[in-house]
Amino acid sequence: MGIYPAPLEKLIRELSRLPGIGQKSATRVALHILKSDKGLAQSLAESLMKVKEEIRFCSRCFNFTDQDTCVICENGNRANGMLCVVEGPGDQLAIEESVYSRAGIMSCTAFFLLLTEWALRT
């Protein structure tokens, strides 16, 4: 039995499951949500559900998008002859945010699928 009411304990447990958020940080975030107006909790819940319902992988590079292809792949100024392979969409976005990259950036999953498709054609 914890020191907080059961719903608050559950929120703290759920928040502490997120990467980089330990028990203390989860408690601080949960208490902040509790002290804030109901609008914050509602907006947070809606944003979480919207992300899970609308975000998918780009059909070309496997970046996160809410359309068939992401805004990076749609950019006509990208250098088509260059490719940077990263582990996943998080790494891909970090590179995009740190410096403007003209190279195409592709997750390992997308790169593997591309190689497999190429191998099947040859």
Side-chain angles (χ1 to χ4, degrees):
M1 182 169 146
I3 61 171
Y4 297 112
L8 187 54
E9 287 280 347
K10 180 172 175 26
L11 178 59
I12 293 168
R13 254 191 332 273
E14 294 301 320
L15 289 170
S16 67
R17 292 174 57 193
L18 297 171
I21 300 182
Q23 185 73 24
K24 285 182 181 180
S25 294
T27 301
R28 281 193 293 276
V29 170
L31 291 174
H32 177 77
I33 292 169
L34 183 63
K35 292 175 193 174
S36 299
D37 63 5
K38 192 174 181 177
L40 174 67
Q42 184 69 37
S43 178
L44 209 76
E46 288 171 4
S47 294
L48 286 169
M49 292 309 299
K50 193 170 184 119
V51 161
K52 292 303 290 179
E53 293 167 357
E54 295 181 13
I55 301 300
R56 58 186 178 270
F57 293 114
C58 172
S59 63
R60 192 178 299 163
C61 74
F62 282 73
N63 186 16
F64 295 125
T65 186
D66 58 352
Q67 300 170 14
D68 181 52
T69 53
C70 69
V71 295
I72 297 168
C73 287
E74 291 296 323
N75 184 345
N77 294 326
R78 306 295 282 208
N80 287 331
M82 295 170 41
L83 180 65
C84 174
V85 178
V86 296
E87 185 175 350
D91 302 316
Q92 190 171 352
L93 295 172
I95 291 172
E96 286 294 331
E97 288 178 349
S98 65
V99 294
Y100 178 75
S101 175
R102 288 185 43 81
I105 300 176
M106 183 177 285
S107 70
C108 287
T109 305
F111 187 67
F112 176 75
L113 291 173
L114 185 67
L115 282 177
T116 305
E117 184 179 308
W118 175 80
L120 291 173
R121 280 194 241 159
T122 59

